[in-house]
Amino acid sequence: MYFPYVFGRASELLALRSTSQSCLSSGLVVPIVEPVITKPAALIKAMTEIGQRGQRAVIVTNPYQGELKAGASAAWLTVVDATFAAYPTLVPGFMCRPGVPYAEVQAFLAKYANRDVAILHLNSGLSNASVNSLAQVPNAVFHIVLQGKAPSAHLALLPHAKTVHVNDNFNKQPRNADYSGQEHFTDHHRLYSQFGVGFGDYTVTGAEIQLGGGPPGAVAVHLTYKCSNDGNLWMQHFVSDDVDIGVGTTEGKFLQAISKFAGQYHSRVAEFGTNGAINDYLQNHNNSHFPGLGKNKERQIHHHIERVNYFLLTGN
């Protein structure tokens, strides 16, 4: 199983809604959402759409980053809990991280005692005995280890059939202009059963949170493909020719980047695959249309999830 990890920003939630329509029903993909935005409307819309289709997604209920750095408000929790109540396939998640006492984990488990839940592990300060107790909780269906940040003693206690490892495979650069060519992304899609029931990644955004941003110097399109030589997933970066702020327009830079992709795609269809995000890029290229930078990010995430799902379905 594949667990794409996103942070609940607009483009990420739109990508999840697109993949809910196209591929989440396979049951092979279970998105994880760590909310970082105070206003819950977009999150609730994505949860509702996924829940209405009877699909699964893990939603972290104790967010701590971005606009929710001080924690979720009572109003936020009320609407999120109401959505959980309406859609039983949604999975409440709890982040065990530094400074979070075991008593809070117990309170979470008591609150959601009658439904599936997920425990996320990120450098927690829990004792071995506490982790052993969590490993025995029957309705904790997933133990999700983030970025390998759990001691070996904890990993040894977690049940193999419930353990998921999420790693940051995206080699983030300071500027879009710094991306170039293609690079290895992961082989976990072929090997994850050695380590647990599933694997995950932070799609094409990486684990570092960045909210907002100004006009880009360069526009980049990061697209996942299955390398025909080694069977692994690679990432190819298509970067605009204009890479400096004040040179050219954002629209022009986007069209430059997707022109490079379109020039290669038709001879590499088996590697990139075919899906709605790819079709949208090709249509934008043919029509010289710029849909906005948010759509660019949404399509990269959409394509990444679809490409992994297709591999899990077919082996290709």
Side-chain angles (χ1 to χ4, degrees), residues 3 7 26 48 52 64 85 87 94 105 155 161 164 166 180 191 209 249 252 291:
F3 294 73
F7 288 102
S26 73
T48 299
Q52 285 176 335
Y64 72 106
Y87 304 107
F94 187 89
V105 196
L155 294 177
V164 175
V166 176
S180 177
L191 306 174
I209 292 180
T249 64

Side-chain angles (χ1 to χ4, degrees), residues 45 77 144 189 308:
K45 197 164 187 176
L77 288 169
I144 300 164
H189 56 301
V308 177

